[in-house]
């Protein structure tokens, strides 16, 4: 039987959460989004589409400042 990401109590395995967090931070760093602004945008967004739009807008801003 394959190991489930979610335990019987409905909680994700602690190791998986830690691994996912490390990947999330790596992506934010690589894109130059910043931890605090990204977390704020996630919680302020009503949908994934809205968050995705924020990321795209931020990427354009970062690209323009590098010119």
């Amino acid at each position: 039987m394959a190991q489930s990401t979610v335990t019987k109590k409905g909680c994700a395995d602690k190791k998986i959460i830690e691994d996912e967090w490390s990947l999330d931070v790596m992506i934010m760093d690589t894109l130059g989004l910043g931890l605090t602004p990204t977390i704020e945008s996630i919680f302020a967004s009503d949908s994934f589409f809205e968050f995705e739009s924020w990321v795209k807008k931020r990427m354009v801003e970062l690209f323009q400042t590098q010119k």
Side-chain angles (χ1 to χ4, degrees):
M1 186 169 152
Q3 181 181 358
S4 175
T5 308
V6 180
T7 65
K8 290 181 181 180
K9 294 180 181 179
C11 300
D13 181 90
K14 185 177 179 180
K15 175 72 172 132
I16 293 172
I17 293 171
E18 290 170 358
D19 291 346
E20 287 293 321
W21 177 248
S22 296
L23 292 172
D24 292 343
V25 170
M26 182 176 65
I27 291 168
M28 288 181 262
D29 286 344
T30 300
L31 295 176
L33 297 174
L35 180 62
T36 301
T38 303
I39 299 293
E40 288 173 348
S41 178
I42 289 170
F43 283 98
S45 299
D46 292 326
S47 65
F48 181 78
F49 178 76
E50 188 176 335
F51 173 68
E52 184 180 43
S53 295
W54 176 84
V55 171
K56 289 176 182 177
K57 178 182 174 190
R58 184 77 177 119
M59 296 307 301
V60 168
E61 292 169 356
L62 291 170
F63 180 74
Q64 290 175 343
T65 60
Q66 291 179 356
K67 285 185 174 183

